[in-house]
Structure formats: structure tokens, C-alpha cells
């Protein structure tokens, strides 16, 4: 046998080992590449959801008015009885020059004849027909004296009333109207020094269809000097208004009808017209009341019409405590027209209380925040003296607003940036105002030494705003 070792055949084909090594290196490189790629930002690929701006088809417009002025405690046999103190005068119309259909709302909690009105305007086929109505009342009795005016409004599911008190000499009556044909139930929340509470019996107040219920706020917010009320409806929307009256010693000090407001981080209150003894009397003649449901820093600015938006007093910043109403005295303002702006880092509700003085024959009013109006809107001016329209332009650009009677020639009003312009109005007339797409804030006001009242303009209820639909 040969001394050489016998060579056994290899178990791997020739060249296979090199290929295994090469494959391993390639795999390791691929893993490293994938790992590195995962650590790098990947290009974003997304498809935005399809969104459509859809304008709802026009439907009937329903407006509820406040009705006659009510008196509490005139019946010596029943101190809690509500009676009619004075009838109201209503002005109404539509943009076709006609009057919308109207009927009366039942008022079962009031003794005697009580006729709050509702107006119903149907569209013209597929075209909306705008309608507007407003009422006013004047009284001069030993227990009630003054002037009040309010716009008839569409009902809402949530309403905030920033006003009233329960101190001696003051009377507040909450009017809750259901102008629709479906039962409504409301819950009334009172915000006071201890925060929000729901008084017994206010958890579920039934408001039948085509009915207005009157509730004295002394039974809702007893003991609260500066309450704020939230009215939340289920079943059907409602219209909420606060009727207030005041007696100082033995002299009546005014009446008012105050509409609801909505929360917002910026509230603009135009149409504050200081007249009468309020311009020279010492004392709190102009007060802002506000509420936030969160702790918030709130800045209050007062600017005079015609001043180019310059502050009439130093802007004041106050700290609002969540759920607790806050009042701020605006100090003495000279005779003139003003706009009050309330800005906050959280949504607030706000209104301004103003009196013409503290003597016999004085009157007062609550001026409510005016929402932005950008499109053509109809409004009615009820009976009253010294009626005027105040339009505030909070933007940084000059805007042109067109105003006209329904049957009249349009007139342009140029409003510089940050300015407020006031123009006289004819009572018992229906107007059209068109900001041309610019957002303005406006109010109709009446101001004389013995009669002051104001109500804010709201967007036209007959012209629904587009809604975003996601198919």
C-alpha cells in the first residue's frame, strides 16, 4: 500500500464555499441597509379626506317675540302672580315687502290677556325669504317706568343670559318660549359666587309647543347679586329673554328686555350710547358683567366712535375664576357712542349694564355682545325715539357696508379699520344690511335721558350657513 494518504472527495462542489461567504456578506449588508432606512424619515404619503361645503336647503324661519311687559306682585292676594303691565308694539316684514305670518303664543303663567307673538316665514320654492321682527314697550307707572326694545329671534338649544340680580328693588322675569310644534324641556343652571348650581325644580322645566313660560329669577337665583343663567333645551330649541325692572327707594329706575348670548373668546358690544345724567353723575353708571367656565385672563377695552379705534380709557385686564361671574366698573364715560371689547384666553359670555342716571325718570339697559355678521341680513326697528345703528369693524382693513330700507335705495357706509360708525334709523321700518363678506358687529339702539335700549344684530336665520360634509 502506498505511503501517500488517500484523498477523499469533498462534500461541497468546487467554488461553493466562496459563494456562501459572498451570500452571507450580501445578507448582512441588506439587513444593515434596511435598518438604516428605517431610522431615516420616510416621505409622507396621505390622502386628505374628501370634504364638501354644502348649503342646506332653505326651510321655514320661525321667530319668537317677547310679548307684553309683565309685572310681579301687583295682586295683593297673590304676591307671586304675574300680570300684564303694558302691551308691546311689534314691527315686522320680509325682504319681499310683505309681512310674515304670525300668531300668538300661549302664556299660562300670566294672569289676564298675554299675547307673545311668533312669526313664520316660508321659503319661496328653493329660494330663502328673509324675515325680521322687533318689539318695544314703554311704561310710566308708580312701580314700572322706562323703555325697552328687543328683536324677535329664532330659538336655540343653548342660551346664556348675562344680567339681572335679586337685590331689593330689582325684579327679573325669565321668559322661555317654545315657538315650535314639539315639546321642549329646559334645564336652568345658575352661575353665582359658589359656581354653577341647578336650583330645585329647574332640572327639567316643561315648555309646551307654541307656549311661553315666565319664571321669576328670585326663585332661581335667590341671593345672587350678579347671576349668569344658562338655559339648555332638549326636544326642541327655545327662545330665552330676561325682563328686568328696578325701583330706587320709591322711584322706578327703568325696565329692560335682554336677549341671550353665546360664548366666544372675543366679545364685541357696540352701541353703548352714554346720555343724560350718566355723563356727569358720579357712581357706577356702566358695568361689564362676564363669566368664563375656565380660569382666564380677560382684557376689557372701551373705544369711542369716531376716534379711530383709540381706547377711551386704559384697557383693563382682570382674572376670571372658573364658573364665577365677575363685574368691572368702566368708570365715568363722557357723552358719546362707545364699543366695548372683551378678549379672553378662554370662551366668555359678556354684557354691559348702563343707566342714564340715578334720579327719577332714569332708565337702564343691558347691552349684549353682538356676533359677527358677514352676509346680507334683515333687521327690524321697532317704535322708539333716537334709533340708531352702530356698526363695529374690528378688522385691520376698511370695509364698506350697504344699508337700505327694504323698499329703498342702498347707501354705502365706509368703516375704517378698528372703527365704529353710528347712523340714524327710522322707527317702525325694516332694513337690509350687507357687509359684503366682511365680518362686522352691529346693534340697534335707542338713547335719550329717559329711554335707553339696545339689541344686537344676528346673522339672518333664513339663510343657512354652509356646512362641511365628509362623504
Amino acid at each position: 500500500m502506498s505511503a501517500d494518504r488517500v484523498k477523499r472527495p469533498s462534500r461541497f462542489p468546487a467554488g461553493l464555499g466562496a459563494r456562501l461567504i459572498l451570500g452571507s456578506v450580501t445578507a448582512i449588508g441588506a439587513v444593515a441597509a434596511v435598518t438604516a432606512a428605517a431610522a431615516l424619515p420616510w416621505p409622507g404619503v396621505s390622502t386628505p379626506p374628501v370634504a364638501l361645503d354644502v348649503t342646506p336647503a332653505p326651510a321655514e324661519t320661525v321667530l319668537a317675540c317677547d310679548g307684553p311687559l309683565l309685572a310681579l306682585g301687583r295682586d295683593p292676594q297673590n304676591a307671586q302672580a304675574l300680570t300684564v303691565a303694558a302691551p308691546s308694539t311689534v314691527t315686522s316684514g320680509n325682504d319681499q315687502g310683505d309681512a310674515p305670518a304670525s300668531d300668538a303664543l300661549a302664556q299660562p303663567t300670566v294672569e289676564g290677556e298675554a299675547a307673545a307673538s311668533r312669526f313664520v316665514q316660508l321659503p319661496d320654492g328653493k329660494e330663502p325669504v328673509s324675515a325680521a321682527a322687533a318689539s318695544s314697550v314703554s311704561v310710566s307707572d308708580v312701580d314700572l317706568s322706562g323703555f325697552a326694545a328687543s328683536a324677535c329671534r329664532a330659538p336655540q338649544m343653548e342660551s346664556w343670559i348675562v344680567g339681572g340680580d335679586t337685590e331689593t328693588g330689582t325684579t327679573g322675569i325669565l321668559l322661555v318660549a317654545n315657538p315650535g310644534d314639539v315639546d321642549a324641556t329646559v334645564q336652568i343652571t345658575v352661575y353665582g359666587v359658589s359656581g354653577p348650581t341647578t336650583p330645585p325644580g329647574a332640572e327639567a322645566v316643561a315648555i309646551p309647543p307654541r307656549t311661553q313660560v315666565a319664571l321669576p329669577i328670585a326663585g332661581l337665583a335667590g341671593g345672587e347679586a350678579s347671576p349668569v343663567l344658562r338655559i339648555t333645551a332638549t326636544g326642541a330649541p327655545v327662545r330665552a329673554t330676561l325682563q328686568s325692572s328696578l325701583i330706587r327707594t320709591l322711584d322706578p329706575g327703568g325696565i329692560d328686555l335682554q336677549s341671550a348670548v353665546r360664548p366666544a373668546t372675543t366679545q364685541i358690544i357696540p352701541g353703548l350710547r352714554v346720555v343724560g345724567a350718566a355723563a356727569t353723575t358720579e357712581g357706577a353708571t356702566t358695568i361689564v358683567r362676564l363669566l368664563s367656565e375656565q380660569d382666564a385672563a380677560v382684557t376689557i377695552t372701551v373705544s369711542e366712535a369716531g376716534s379711530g379705534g383709540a381706547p377711551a380709557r386704559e384697557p383693563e385686564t382682570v382674572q376670571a375664576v372658573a364658573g364665577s361671574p365677575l363685574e368691572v366698573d368702566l368708570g365715568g364715560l363722557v357723552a358719546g357712542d362707545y364699543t366695548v371689547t372683551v378678549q379672553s384666553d378662554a370662551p366668555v359670555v359678556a354684557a354691559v349694564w348702563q343707566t342714564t342716571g340715578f334720579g327719577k325718570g332714569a332708565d337702564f339697559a343691558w347691552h349684549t355682545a353682538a356676533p359677527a355678521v358677514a352676509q346680507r341680513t334683515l333687521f327690524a326697528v321697532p317704535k322708539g325715539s333716537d334709533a340708531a345703528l352702530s356698526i363695529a369693524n374690528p378688522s385691520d382693513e376698511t370695509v364698506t357696508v350697504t344699508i337700505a330700507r327694504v323698499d329703498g335705495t342702498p347707501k354705502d357706509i365706509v368703516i375704517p379699520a378698528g372703527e365704529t360708525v353710528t347712523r340714524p334709523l327710522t322707527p317702525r321700518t325694516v332694513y337690509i344690511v350687507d357687509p359684503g363678506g366682511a365680518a362686522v358687529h352691529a346693534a340697534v339702539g335707542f338713547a335719550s335721558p329717559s329711554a335707553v335700549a339696545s339689541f344686537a344684530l344676528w346673522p339672518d336665520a333664513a339663510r343657512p350657513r354652509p356646512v362641511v360634509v365628509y362623504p
Side-chain angles (χ1 to χ4, degrees), residues 100-302:
S102 66
D103 54 18
L105 297 175
Q107 204 155 345
T109 54
V110 178
E111 294 182 357
E113 294 293 328
S117 302
R118 75 161 192 160
F119 289 89
V120 179
Q121 176 64 62
L122 297 175
D124 184 6
K126 295 183 179 180
E127 295 298 321
V129 178
S130 298
S135 66
S136 63
V137 59
S138 182
V139 64
S140 181
D141 291 338
V142 295
D143 60 338
L144 289 171
S145 178
F147 173 79
S150 65
C152 306
R153 299 221 184 278
Q156 305 177 87
M157 298 304 292
E158 183 180 76
S159 304
W160 292 81
I161 298 290
V162 187
D165 61 60
T166 58
E167 294 182 343
T168 302
T170 62
T171 301
I173 302 170
L174 179 64
L175 306 174
V176 185
N178 175 9
D181 297 320
V182 178
D183 287 323
T185 301
V186 300
Q187 176 179 317
I188 302 170
T189 304
V190 179
Y191 291 79
V193 293
S194 301
T197 60
T198 301
E203 303 91 343
V205 181
I207 315 293
R210 302 193 186 189
T211 299
Q212 178 168 274
V213 173
L215 304 168
I217 67 167
L220 299 171
E224 294 291 347
S226 306
V228 172
L229 308 180
R230 183 180 67 188
I231 299 92
T232 306
T234 55
V238 299
R239 160 74 193 278
T241 301
L242 179 64
Q243 177 193 305
S244 302
S245 62
L246 172 63
I247 291 181
R248 296 187 180 96
T249 312
L250 297 178
D251 294 326
I255 60 173
D256 186 59
L257 290 167
Q258 179 186 1
S259 296
V261 297
R262 294 173 177 169
T265 54
T266 298
Q267 299 282 16
I268 297 178
I269 306 169
L272 177 65
R273 299 163 66 193
V274 177
V275 296
T280 57
T281 299
E282 293 184 1
T285 59
T286 310
I287 299 172
V288 177
R289 184 180 299 179
L290 57 91
L291 170 80
S292 173
E293 291 192 283
Q294 306 173 35
D295 291 342
V298 183
T299 301
I300 301 167
T301 305
V302 182

Side-chain angles (χ1 to χ4, degrees), residues 18 56 74 92 94 100 150 171 216 229 252 278 286 308 342 376 385 414 418 426 446:
R74 282 188 170 182
S92 66
N94 62 26
S150 65
T171 301
L229 308 180
T286 310
V342 178
R376 178 182 182 275
S385 60
V414 178
T426 302
F446 303 81

Side-chain angles (χ1 to χ4, degrees), residues 51-63:
L52 301 175
D53 287 337
V54 177
T55 300
E60 69 175 12
T61 300
V62 179
L63 307 174

Side-chain angles (χ1 to χ4, degrees), residues 332-438:
L333 297 174
V334 300
D337 300 342
Y338 299 89
T339 294
V340 179
T341 302
V342 178
Q343 293 178 304
S344 173
D345 48 17
V348 296
V349 289
V352 175
W353 179 87
Q354 173 205 9
T355 183
T356 61
F358 300 106
K360 186 176 181 179
D363 195 17
F364 74 89
W366 281 99
H367 301 263
T368 57
V373 174
Q375 305 300 327
R376 178 182 182 275
T377 298
L378 206 69
F379 69 95
V381 182
K383 180 181 178 181
S385 60
D386 300 301
L389 177 67
S390 296
I391 310 174
N393 170 23
S395 72
D396 297 329
E397 298 180 355
T398 297
V399 301
T400 299
V401 177
T402 300
I403 182 172
R405 300 184 187 188
V406 168
D407 56 353
T409 303
K411 296 181 179 180
D412 288 342
I413 302 175
V414 178
I415 310 175
E419 182 64 277
T420 298
V421 171
T422 300
R423 292 291 184 269
L425 297 171
T426 302
R428 311 199 75 168
T429 304
V430 178
Y431 286 86
I432 298 172
V433 62
D434 189 352

